[in-house]
């Protein structure tokens, strides 16, 4: 596996929530901390590329320092709307003892309720588009503003949107290349219990490739009638799984845009880099771990992944 440096010609547009989260796990509890799907995606992707364009929205309560933090990770925040008189999207969640499942305690849409995404002209020809977890109609509005079809469109979503606006989600899905989703969401979306059957059905909805994330049990990639499995890094201490799926997506698209190679073989490596970024994310609360690791750490963990599942017959 090659060491990844940041220089990259491909531009990436990242759309998703930039949020406040309050998290409770068996290891502790946080007050409002910085979170949001686009935040995790951008931070994870920044280890692979210096061309990150963000489209999102926050309220006047969102700290300037958090925007600076994103900018320090190569994120162009021109497309981040700041609604001075409104409040930032807020999500709170509580994890069960096994850390594999969680309950959403509260979702306050706030600025998201009226969010009308505006893709700055210079972002509209981005090569790679990551539609992070967000209102499906907003994801679609971003798609509609692209001046040319990106080389790759990846969409992430969650049960909240399947419950509340399934039709809009199905519409957006028709246009995407890769859907990333967790196992329970794949079952809900397809109505199939078996994940292979679920993948087959979801592929008829639009996506050519599907990544099913299985938390501490790794991730499955489906596409071109092939299947690939990446384990999750077994870790002694998992403090907070929040953002693991988004960090996965960031590592996945970051690596693909860096390598500019969309073959199934290369997507397998992207799934491994996604798993690498997710494994860091869960080691501390919120975005903390992603903001302290180095490229050397990423390289070392990717090598650990190779030795974790490398064997001879
Ligand atoms: P993950 O753990 O990867 O599913 O992502 C957690 C992040 O998703 C948190 O930082 C939340 O702010 C964000 N989030 C939670 N609910 C939603 C929602 N309904 N739409 C968009 N983002 C959400």
């Amino acid at each position: 596996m090659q060491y990844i440096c940041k220089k990259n010609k491909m531009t990436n547009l990242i759309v998703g929530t930039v949020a406040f989260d309050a998290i409770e796990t068996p290891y502790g509890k946080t007050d409002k901390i910085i979170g949001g799907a686009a935040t995790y995606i951008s931070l994870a992707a920044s280890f692979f590329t210096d061309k990150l364009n963000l489209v999102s929205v926050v309220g006047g309560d969102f700290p300037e320092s958090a925007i600076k933090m994103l900018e320090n990770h190569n994120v162009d925040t021109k497309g981040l709307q700041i609604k001075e008189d409104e409040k930032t999207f807020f999500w709170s969640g509580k994890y069960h003892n096994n850390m594999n499942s969680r309950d959403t305690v509260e979702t306050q849409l706030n600025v998201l309720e009226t969010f009308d995404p505006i893709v700055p002209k210079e972002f509209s020809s981005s090569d790679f588009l990551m539609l992070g977890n967000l209102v499906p109609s907003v994801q679609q509005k971003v798609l509609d503003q692209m001046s040319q079809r990106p080389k790759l469109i990846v969409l992430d979503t969650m049960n909240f949107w399947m419950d509340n606006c399934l039709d809009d989600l199905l519409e957006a899905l028709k246009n995407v290349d890769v859907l990333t989703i967790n196992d329970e969401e794949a079952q809900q979306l397809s109505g199939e219990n078996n994940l292979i059957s679920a993948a087959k059905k979801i592929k008829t909805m639009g996506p050519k490739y599907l990544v099913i994330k299985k938390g501490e049990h790794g991730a499955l990639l489906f596409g071109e009638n092939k299947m690939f499995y990446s384990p999750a890094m077994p870790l002694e201490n998992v403090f907070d799984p929040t953002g693991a799926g988004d960090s996965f997506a960031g590592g996945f698209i970051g690596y693909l845009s860096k390598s500019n190679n969309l073959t199934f073989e290369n997507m397998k490596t992207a799934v491994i880099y996604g798993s690498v970024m997710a494994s860091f994310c869960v080691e501390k609360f919120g975005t903390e771990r992603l903001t302290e690791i180095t490229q050397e750490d990423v390289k070392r963990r990717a090598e650990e992944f190779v030795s974790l599942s490398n064997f001879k017959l």
Side-chain angles (χ1 to χ4, degrees):
M1 202 173 284
Q2 256 190 329
Y3 178 52
I4 302 302
C5 78
K6 282 189 187 174
K7 292 281 168 284
N8 189 0
K9 290 199 197 78
M10 297 295 134
T11 47
N12 298 271
L13 176 55
I14 292 172
V15 186
T17 43
V18 173
F20 284 129
D21 291 344
I23 301 157
E24 186 173 346
T25 81
Y27 291 95
K29 204 174 165 171
T30 68
D31 284 330
K32 277 187 179 179
I33 56 171
I34 304 300
T39 309
Y40 285 102
I41 294 167
S42 302
L43 291 177
S46 72
F47 287 86
F48 303 87
T49 170
D50 54 359
K51 303 246 180 336
L52 293 169
N53 302 328
L54 173 69
V55 167
S56 189
V57 63
V58 290
D61 54 351
F62 198 73
E64 180 72 35
S65 58
I67 300 176
K68 280 270 157 327
M69 182 273 287
L70 287 170
E71 288 169 351
N72 289 339
H73 282 84
N74 305 322
V75 180
D76 187 333
T77 59
K78 211 181 287 112
L80 178 66
Q81 297 178 29
I82 302 174
K83 298 272 167 76
E84 287 300 341
D85 301 329
E86 293 179 46
K87 282 166 74 182
T88 299
F89 172 76
F90 171 75
W91 173 80
S92 77
K94 185 174 176 183
Y95 287 84
H96 301 165
N97 277 342
N98 67 11
M99 300 280 253
N100 269 334
S101 53
R102 70 183 178 203
D103 294 324
T104 289
V105 178
E106 198 179 348
T107 301
Q108 290 177 16
L109 292 177
N110 298 332
V111 281
L112 272 198
E113 247 168 282
T114 53
F115 180 39
D116 190 15
I118 299 166
V119 178
K121 196 164 178 298
E122 55 271 53
F123 291 2
S124 69
S125 55
S126 297
D127 301 292
F128 286 72
L129 173 59
M130 177 71 229
L131 296 167
N133 190 11
L134 197 62
V135 192
S137 58
V138 171
Q139 293 175 316
Q140 181 64 51
K141 276 188 184 166
V142 169
L143 271 170
D144 294 342
Q145 289 174 62
M146 298 308 285
S147 59
Q148 61 190 49
R149 193 189 192 281
K151 288 177 195 294
L152 189 78
I153 302 171
V154 181
L155 184 142
D156 187 55
T157 189
M158 72 186 296
N159 50 358
F160 185 85
W161 305 116
M162 293 175 198
D163 295 337
N164 292 301
C165 27
L166 183 61
D167 287 347
D168 290 343
L169 176 61
L170 291 175
E171 205 46 45
L173 278 184
K174 289 181 188 160
N175 304 307
V176 313
D177 300 305
V178 186
L179 172 66
T180 64
I181 201 170
N182 76 29
D183 41 8
E184 283 176 15
E185 290 156 357
Q187 286 162 336
Q188 178 172 348
L189 184 63
S190 64
E192 298 282 348
N193 254 331
N194 178 285
L195 291 183
I196 298 177
S197 311
K200 276 190 188 152
K201 201 145 173 195
I202 291 169
K203 283 206 281 160
T204 65
M205 299 173 185
K208 291 185 271 306
Y209 300 90
L210 177 70
V211 177
I212 300 185
K213 299 167 284 181
K214 290 161 59 67
E216 67 168 340
H217 302 298
L220 285 161
L221 168 71
F222 297 89
E224 300 176 16
N225 293 319
K226 294 180 219 166
M227 185 163 70
F228 174 69
Y229 171 69
S230 161
M233 176 57 65
L235 298 166
E236 197 168 351
N237 293 311
V238 174
F239 277 95
D240 172 19
T242 309
D246 304 312
S247 304
F248 177 98
F252 179 78
I253 196 150
Y255 175 76
L256 286 177
S257 79
K258 162 74 198 161
S259 53
N260 192 20
N261 173 344
L262 298 176
T263 59
F264 187 82
E265 276 309 300
N266 199 52
M267 279 200 196
K268 286 161 57 170
T269 312
V271 167
I272 296 292
Y273 275 109
S275 307
V276 165
M277 299 318 295
S279 76
F280 283 118
C281 174
V282 303
E283 287 180 330
K284 289 198 175 169
F285 272 97
T287 55
E288 192 180 343
R289 190 77 177 116
L290 289 183
T291 55
E292 65 183 22
I293 55 170
T294 62
Q295 290 216 311
E296 197 49 42
D297 294 323
V298 173
K299 175 180 182 256
R300 220 173 301 122
R301 183 141 310 166
E303 286 163 358
E304 285 174 44
F305 262 87
V306 175
S307 58
L308 180 69
S309 46
N310 199 8
F311 61 92
K312 286 201 176 89
L313 277 183

